[in-house]
Amino acid sequence: MLTTPAIDTVVRAALDEDAPWGDLTSEMLIPADAVATAQLVAREAGVFSGGAVFDAAFRLVDPRITVHLLVRDGTPFAAGDLLAEASGPARGILQAERIGLNFVQRMSGIATLTARYVAETDGTTARIVDTRKTTPGLRAFERQAVRDGGGHNHRFSLSDAVMAKDNHLAVLSAGGIGLTDALLAVRAKLSHTTHFEVEVDTLEQIEPVLAAGIDTIMLDNFALGDLREGVRRIAGRAIVEASGGVSLETVRRIAQTGVDVISVGALTHSVRALDLGLDVVILPEAVFPTA
C-alpha cells in the first residue's frame, strides 16, 4: 500500500504547499554551500512509524541529502532516543524539516496509540482494526502507522468490499424488501472473492442477516451484555466485529466478550501527534562542494 510512488505523490504535494516558490528565509540567510546535520530526537516514549516518508521529504527537496534511519518502523523507543539523522545541504534540510517532522510525528502518534489498544487486548482473540475515518489524502500513511503499532486494517476504500450499514438498510426497508431477501440478492451478484459485511443495531437483526450467508456482522454500539449474546447467537457462523463506544478504558472489556474484531475510529481521527524534535547541528566543514 505504501509504495515509493504513493509516498512521493503525497510528500511532494505537502512540500509544494509549504514552499511553493522556495524557502525565502533560508535562501536569504543560509549560504548556498553550507551543510548541516539534523537529528530526529524523541521527546517522549512511543512507537516509530513513517521512516520512508521522513526520508522522502528530504530526498525530494535535495537528493544530495542523506537520511540515516536509526530505528525501524514498529520499534518502541524511549524519550531522548535518537531516531534518525539527515545530513547534507543546509538549505534543503531547513526547507524539508517541517514536512518530514509533521508526517513522522503523526504516524508515530498513530502507531503509539494503536500499540496501547493492542496491549489492552492481550490474552484475548480480538484484533484491533482501523476505520475510514482518516485524514483525506493520508489514508495509506495512517493505515501503515496502524500496522506499525501492531493493529490491522479494515477495508481500504468503498471499492474493496460490500459493507451494508444502517443507512443502507434503512433505504432497503423503505422499499418494502425483507432484510434476508435483499442481502441474498446482493450476494448473488458478488464474486466469490468479495467480502460481505453487514452492520446491525439490534440482536433481532442477527438471524435474518446470518440467513443470507454474510461473512462479517458488525455489532454497532452494543452494550457488553448484548455483545456477549451476539457472539453466542452467531456462534462462529460469521466474523463478529464490535464498533462504537471503544476507548482505552472500554476496549479490554469489549475484547473479553469474544468478538473477533474491534474497529477503532480514534486511532486516526483524533490521535495526538507524538512529540519529536528535529535539531539542526552545523558541521565543522561548513562548505558543501559546489562543483
Side-chain angles (χ1 to χ4, degrees):
M1 185 187 305
L2 203 58
T3 62
T4 298
I7 292 172
D8 287 0
T9 296
V10 174
V11 173
R12 188 174 285 110
L15 291 167
D16 288 345
E17 178 184 59
D18 199 43
W21 302 285
D23 177 4
L24 185 59
T25 304
S26 293
E27 290 170 7
M28 294 296 102
L29 293 177
I30 306 301
D33 53 4
V35 294
T37 291
Q39 298 180 330
L40 181 66
V41 179
R43 292 174 178 163
E44 61 178 312
V47 176
F48 189 68
S49 179
V53 180
F54 182 77
D55 176 82
F58 294 92
R59 170 173 51 81
L60 292 174
V61 168
D62 191 329
R64 295 175 296 174
I65 297 174
T66 300
V67 173
H68 296 286
L69 299 171
L70 304 178
V71 295
R72 293 182 177 181
D73 287 353
T75 303
F77 55 80
D81 283 356
L82 181 61
L83 307 177
E85 288 186 334
S87 299
R91 284 185 179 180
I93 287 175
L94 292 168
Q95 181 174 333
E97 63 168 328
R98 174 45 53 194
I99 297 305
L101 192 56
N102 284 351
F103 280 127
V104 78
Q105 283 184 299
R106 179 162 183 81
M107 292 180 69
S108 295
I110 292 170
T112 301
L113 181 60
T114 301
R116 294 180 66 191
Y117 273 91
V118 170
E120 288 295 325
T121 65
D122 186 49
T124 74
T125 58
R127 62 167 52 183
I128 298 296
V129 306
D130 51 25
T131 71
R132 286 171 44 245
K133 297 175 183 176
T134 53
T135 308
L138 300 184
R139 183 168 294 173
F141 287 24
E142 294 181 347
R143 291 198 148 174
Q144 177 62 52
V146 168
R147 292 197 298 275
D148 290 337
H152 299 267
N153 297 145
H154 213 294
R155 59 175 178 165
F156 184 78
S157 71
L158 293 173
S159 302
D160 295 330
V162 174
M163 186 172 176
K165 304 190 77 173
D166 53 353
N167 288 334
H168 299 100
L169 300 183
V171 173
L172 288 176
S173 62
I177 306 173
L179 179 56
T180 301
D181 289 341
L183 296 177
L184 282 170
V186 173
R187 170 64 81 189
K189 300 175 185 177
L190 295 177
S191 162
H192 68 284
T193 63
T194 303
H195 195 86
F196 196 176
E197 178 168 359
V198 176
E199 175 188 280
V200 300
D201 300 314
T202 66
L203 289 168
E204 289 67 36
Q205 292 175 299
I206 290 176
E207 283 303 327
V209 169
L210 282 172
I214 300 304
D215 301 305
T216 298
I217 296 180
M218 177 193 289
L219 308 180
D220 187 46
N221 284 299
F222 275 44
L224 290 174
D226 287 342
L227 281 176
R228 283 189 289 270
E229 176 62 15
V231 170
R232 188 191 70 79
R233 293 190 187 189
I234 294 169
R237 290 178 287 170
I239 296 169
V240 184
E241 177 179 342
S243 180
V246 183
S247 67
L248 283 169
E249 291 69 37
T250 64
V251 68
R252 182 159 188 81
R253 293 193 295 274
I254 292 172
Q256 289 171 335
T257 66
V259 298
D260 303 299
V261 174
I262 304 174
S263 51
V264 187
L267 297 180
T268 54
H269 73 57
S270 58
V271 69
R272 178 181 65 83
L274 212 64
D275 190 4
L276 308 177
L278 197 63
D279 302 317
V280 174
V281 179
I282 301 298
L283 298 175
E285 61 277 16
V287 176
F288 191 88
T290 56

